[in-house]
Amino acid sequence: QKEVEQNSGPLSVPEGAIASLNCTYSDRGSQSFFWYRQYSGKSPELIMFIYSNGDKEDGRFTAQLNKASQYVSLLIRDSQPSDSATYLCAARPDTGTASKLTFGTGTRLQVTL
Amino acid sequence: DTGVSQDPRHKITKRGQNVTFRCDPISEHNRLYWYRQTLGQGPEFLTYFQNEAQLEKSRLLSDRFSAERPKGSFSTLEIQRTEQGDSAMYLCASNKQGLPYEQYFGPGTRLTVT
């Protein structure tokens, strides 16, 4: 079992719709979670982070965390063709010191016209 | 430019040759990370530095790989006797102390071993 799991997709949504991207993690020591967007051939770009249970909103993006269920999600409202990319979920244990991120394989999102 | 920079952006080498990559982190970031990403996979952690100290190395980092950060600023990643399986995107990221520890990635170095 991978430590961070994502459905590879592609997830196809029409322009203007809500895209829902999901991620589960196995290490209960993971405390901080990050969503990165990666366009083909480019490096990951940080979208949001979350470390408290509940929702966190930033513009069109909402991250949701449920530590009891070991589940993280990212909602993209009013999806645009420019949102078409691979979305990477990453987990980080909160040890109080810097440490590595463990990534899922990513979910490819396609926003159709 | 205040982001993480990496050099070169692309490297093509023949099997058996040595290659070296450079990463310059964001200036106020004292922590620097190297990851490797292959097609269809997420980035995999290789190693990280806090200032000049290398604090963690992945089991993925065979003895052909070595990384340095001699003055706590830029870092180099060297691969000796390259193999075709080393072909990947090598990503550098940096962050600073304190929550939420978000890491910012450089553009990456794409290595192709022929």
Side-chain angles (χ1 to χ4, degrees):
Chain A
Q1 180 188 11
K2 286 182 178 272
E3 291 185 46
V4 178
E5 298 220 37
Q6 298 180 258
N7 187 319
S8 61
L11 172 66
S12 185
V13 299
E15 184 178 5
I18 296 175
S20 178
L21 303 158
N22 305 314
C23 170
T24 58
Y25 61 95
S26 59
D27 181 3
R28 286 194 175 274
S30 298
Q31 294 292 323
S32 304
F33 303 88
F34 302 83
W35 284 100
Y36 286 84
R37 177 175 62 198
Q38 187 172 30
Y39 294 110
S40 181
K42 302 296 186 183
S43 65
E45 173 191 8
L46 180 66
I47 299 175
M48 290 188 69
F49 59 85
I50 186 167
Y51 46 86
S52 299
N53 273 327
D55 295 0
K56 179 181 178 183
E57 186 174 319
D58 184 0
R60 295 188 296 115
F61 299 97
T62 299
Q64 299 174 316
L65 174 59
N66 183 325
K67 291 183 180 179
S69 301
Q70 295 176 246
Y71 178 88
V72 193
S73 66
L74 179 71
L75 301 178
I76 306 175
R77 289 181 297 282
D78 188 24
S79 295
Q80 301 297 309
S82 59
D83 294 326
S84 298
T86 296
Y87 288 80
L88 297 163
C89 173
R92 179 193 173 279
D94 186 9
T95 62
T97 61
S99 62
K100 65 184 180 184
L101 294 179
T102 300
F103 284 86
T105 55
T107 297
R108 189 157 64 93
L109 174 65
Q110 292 178 337
V111 180
T112 58
L113 295 173
Chain B
D1 186 5
T2 58
V4 179
S5 61
Q6 292 186 246
D7 184 69
R9 298 289 300 276
H10 302 274
K11 180 71 177 178
I12 300 174
T13 191
K14 292 185 177 180
R15 190 177 54 183
Q17 297 296 305
N18 299 343
V19 294
T20 300
F21 310 141
R22 175 179 170 128
C23 171
D24 287 86
I26 294 171
S27 59
E28 65 267 28
H29 288 183
N30 65 332
R31 293 168 176 166
L32 184 150
Y33 306 77
W34 286 99
Y35 292 85
R36 179 172 67 188
Q37 187 177 25
T38 54
L39 198 62
Q41 301 297 313
E44 294 178 297
F45 170 79
L46 294 178
T47 188
Y48 98 87
F49 294 83
Q50 179 166 304
N51 301 312
E52 65 276 8
Q54 188 174 20
L55 296 187
E56 187 175 352
K57 292 171 61 174
S58 165
R59 289 169 295 172
L60 293 175
L61 213 64
S62 76
D63 56 6
R64 295 185 299 105
F65 289 70
S66 62
E68 293 184 340
R69 194 182 183 199
K71 296 183 180 179
S73 56
F74 72 91
S75 175
T76 58
L77 178 68
E78 181 184 17
I79 309 175
Q80 296 182 327
R81 305 181 303 281
T82 52
E83 302 172 355
Q84 287 188 320
D86 297 331
S87 295
M89 175 82 89
Y90 289 83
L91 295 162
C92 177
S94 70
N95 67 0
K96 57 184 178 181
Q97 289 176 263
L99 284 170
Y101 302 110
E102 70 269 34
Q103 295 180 19
Y104 295 92
F105 283 84
T109 294
R110 180 164 298 284
L111 173 66
T112 302
V113 182
T114 61

